[in-house]
Short mmCIF file of all heavy atoms in Angstrom, two decimals:
data_model
loop_
_atom_site.label_atom_id
_atom_site.label_comp_id
_atom_site.label_asym_id
_atom_site.label_seq_id
_atom_site.Cartn_x
_atom_site.Cartn_y
_atom_site.Cartn_z
N LEU A 338 98.29 114.43 99.60
CA LEU A 338 98.39 113.33 100.51
C LEU A 338 97.04 113.03 101.14
O LEU A 338 96.68 111.91 101.27
CB LEU A 338 99.41 113.66 101.58
CG LEU A 338 100.85 113.30 101.32
CD1 LEU A 338 101.76 113.94 102.36
CD2 LEU A 338 101.03 111.83 101.31
N THR A 345 95.23 104.03 100.07
CA THR A 345 96.47 103.32 100.32
C THR A 345 96.44 102.68 101.69
O THR A 345 96.94 101.50 101.85
CB THR A 345 97.69 104.32 100.27
OG1 THR A 345 97.65 104.92 99.00
CG2 THR A 345 98.99 103.62 100.54
N LEU A 488 106.78 97.27 106.84
CA LEU A 488 106.16 98.47 106.25
C LEU A 488 106.97 99.04 105.15
O LEU A 488 106.44 99.57 104.19
CB LEU A 488 105.92 99.46 107.41
CG LEU A 488 105.01 100.59 107.04
CD1 LEU A 488 103.56 100.10 106.92
CD2 LEU A 488 105.13 101.71 108.05
N MET A 492 105.62 99.88 101.45
CA MET A 492 105.63 101.17 100.83
C MET A 492 106.21 101.09 99.44
O MET A 492 105.69 101.65 98.43
CB MET A 492 106.42 102.13 101.68
CG MET A 492 105.69 102.61 102.88
SD MET A 492 106.85 103.54 103.87
CE MET A 492 105.72 104.18 105.10
N SER A 493 107.39 100.38 99.37
CA SER A 493 108.01 100.27 98.01
C SER A 493 107.05 99.47 97.07
O SER A 493 106.91 99.89 95.90
CB SER A 493 109.33 99.51 98.17
OG SER A 493 110.04 100.01 99.20
N ILE A 496 104.11 101.44 95.47
CA ILE A 496 104.28 102.29 94.29
C ILE A 496 104.00 101.54 93.02
O ILE A 496 103.29 102.01 92.16
CB ILE A 496 105.72 102.83 94.32
CG1 ILE A 496 106.03 103.56 95.67
CG2 ILE A 496 105.99 103.76 93.17
CD1 ILE A 496 107.49 103.95 95.84
N VAL A 507 98.82 106.91 97.46
CA VAL A 507 100.07 107.57 97.69
C VAL A 507 101.16 107.08 96.70
O VAL A 507 101.87 107.85 96.08
CB VAL A 507 100.61 107.35 99.14
CG1 VAL A 507 101.94 107.94 99.34
CG2 VAL A 507 99.59 107.95 100.07
N GLY A 508 101.22 105.78 96.52
CA GLY A 508 102.21 105.22 95.60
C GLY A 508 101.98 105.64 94.18
O GLY A 508 102.92 105.94 93.45
N LEU A 511 103.19 109.09 93.70
CA LEU A 511 104.64 109.19 93.74
C LEU A 511 105.15 108.72 92.33
O LEU A 511 106.07 109.32 91.78
CB LEU A 511 105.15 108.25 94.81
CG LEU A 511 106.60 108.30 95.21
CD1 LEU A 511 107.06 109.76 95.43
CD2 LEU A 511 106.82 107.55 96.49
N VAL A 523 107.98 114.43 94.61
CA VAL A 523 108.68 113.19 94.98
C VAL A 523 109.27 113.39 96.36
O VAL A 523 109.10 112.56 97.26
CB VAL A 523 109.75 112.86 93.94
CG1 VAL A 523 110.64 111.70 94.46
CG2 VAL A 523 109.10 112.50 92.60
N VAL A 524 110.00 114.46 96.58
CA VAL A 524 110.69 114.69 97.82
C VAL A 524 109.71 114.79 98.96
O VAL A 524 109.87 114.25 100.05
CB VAL A 524 111.61 115.93 97.80
CG1 VAL A 524 112.18 116.27 99.14
CG2 VAL A 524 112.73 115.66 96.83
N GLY A 525 108.61 115.56 98.74
CA GLY A 525 107.57 115.71 99.79
C GLY A 525 106.97 114.36 100.20
O GLY A 525 106.91 114.03 101.36
N PHE A 526 106.61 113.57 99.20
CA PHE A 526 106.01 112.27 99.48
C PHE A 526 106.96 111.32 100.19
O PHE A 526 106.62 110.65 101.17
CB PHE A 526 105.45 111.61 98.17
CG PHE A 526 104.05 111.98 97.87
CD1 PHE A 526 103.65 113.27 97.58
CD2 PHE A 526 103.05 110.99 97.87
CE1 PHE A 526 102.36 113.58 97.35
CE2 PHE A 526 101.72 111.28 97.56
CZ PHE A 526 101.38 112.59 97.28
N VAL A 527 108.21 111.30 99.61
CA VAL A 527 109.19 110.44 100.22
C VAL A 527 109.47 110.79 101.71
O VAL A 527 109.50 109.94 102.57
CB VAL A 527 110.56 110.38 99.42
CG1 VAL A 527 111.66 109.73 100.21
CG2 VAL A 527 110.30 109.67 98.07
N SER A 528 109.60 112.13 101.93
CA SER A 528 109.82 112.56 103.34
C SER A 528 108.73 112.07 104.22
O SER A 528 108.99 111.57 105.33
CB SER A 528 109.96 114.09 103.41
OG SER A 528 110.78 114.56 102.42
N VAL A 529 107.48 112.27 103.86
CA VAL A 529 106.33 111.84 104.66
C VAL A 529 106.37 110.36 104.89
O VAL A 529 106.12 109.90 106.02
CB VAL A 529 105.01 112.30 104.05
CG1 VAL A 529 103.84 111.74 104.81
CG2 VAL A 529 104.96 113.83 103.99
N LEU A 530 106.61 109.59 103.84
CA LEU A 530 106.68 108.11 104.01
C LEU A 530 107.79 107.68 104.96
O LEU A 530 107.58 106.80 105.79
CB LEU A 530 106.88 107.42 102.65
CG LEU A 530 105.68 107.46 101.69
CD1 LEU A 530 105.98 106.78 100.42
CD2 LEU A 530 104.43 106.82 102.36
N VAL A 531 108.96 108.34 104.87
CA VAL A 531 110.01 107.97 105.76
C VAL A 531 109.64 108.33 107.25
O VAL A 531 109.87 107.50 108.14
CB VAL A 531 111.33 108.79 105.40
CG1 VAL A 531 112.37 108.64 106.53
CG2 VAL A 531 111.87 108.25 104.12
N ILE A 532 108.91 109.43 107.42
CA ILE A 532 108.43 109.79 108.80
C ILE A 532 107.47 108.74 109.30
O ILE A 532 107.53 108.24 110.44
CB ILE A 532 107.87 111.17 108.81
CG1 ILE A 532 108.95 112.17 108.55
CG2 ILE A 532 107.21 111.43 110.14
CD1 ILE A 532 108.47 113.59 108.40
N VAL A 533 106.53 108.37 108.42
CA VAL A 533 105.55 107.34 108.78
C VAL A 533 106.27 106.02 109.22
O VAL A 533 105.95 105.44 110.20
CB VAL A 533 104.55 107.05 107.68
CG1 VAL A 533 103.65 105.86 107.97
CG2 VAL A 533 103.70 108.28 107.39
N PHE A 534 107.23 105.64 108.42
CA PHE A 534 108.02 104.45 108.66
C PHE A 534 108.69 104.53 110.00
O PHE A 534 108.62 103.57 110.78
CB PHE A 534 109.03 104.28 107.51
CG PHE A 534 109.93 103.05 107.67
CD1 PHE A 534 109.43 101.81 107.38
CD2 PHE A 534 111.26 103.15 107.96
CE1 PHE A 534 110.20 100.68 107.47
CE2 PHE A 534 112.07 102.05 108.02
CZ PHE A 534 111.55 100.80 107.81
N LEU A 535 109.30 105.65 110.33
CA LEU A 535 109.98 105.79 111.62
C LEU A 535 108.99 105.74 112.77
O LEU A 535 109.25 105.09 113.81
CB LEU A 535 110.75 107.07 111.66
CG LEU A 535 111.96 107.22 110.73
CD1 LEU A 535 112.57 108.59 110.74
CD2 LEU A 535 113.02 106.22 111.13
N VAL A 536 107.86 106.44 112.65
CA VAL A 536 106.92 106.43 113.75
C VAL A 536 106.30 105.02 113.99
O VAL A 536 106.23 104.57 115.16
CB VAL A 536 105.76 107.48 113.46
CG1 VAL A 536 104.67 107.31 114.44
CG2 VAL A 536 106.34 108.87 113.41
N GLY B 1449 116.57 103.58 108.73
CA GLY B 1449 115.29 104.29 108.84
C GLY B 1449 114.74 104.72 107.51
O GLY B 1449 113.62 105.30 107.49
N PRO B 1451 113.55 103.35 103.98
CA PRO B 1451 113.30 102.17 103.14
C PRO B 1451 114.05 102.27 101.84
O PRO B 1451 114.14 103.40 101.28
CB PRO B 1451 111.78 102.26 102.92
CG PRO B 1451 111.22 102.99 104.06
CD PRO B 1451 112.31 103.98 104.38
N LEU B 1454 112.68 103.99 98.64
CA LEU B 1454 112.41 105.41 98.76
C LEU B 1454 113.64 106.24 98.71
O LEU B 1454 113.72 107.29 97.97
CB LEU B 1454 111.69 105.70 100.12
CG LEU B 1454 110.30 105.10 100.29
CD1 LEU B 1454 109.68 105.42 101.61
CD2 LEU B 1454 109.38 105.53 99.16
#
Side-chain angles (χ1 to χ4, degrees):
Chain A
L338 272 169
T345 302
L488 191 73
M492 284 173 172
S493 313
I496 305 172
V507 175
L511 192 47
V523 171
V524 171
F526 270 63
V527 168
S528 309
V529 173
L530 287 180
V531 168
I532 292 172
V533 170
F534 181 71
L535 291 173
V536 171
Chain B
L1454 295 181

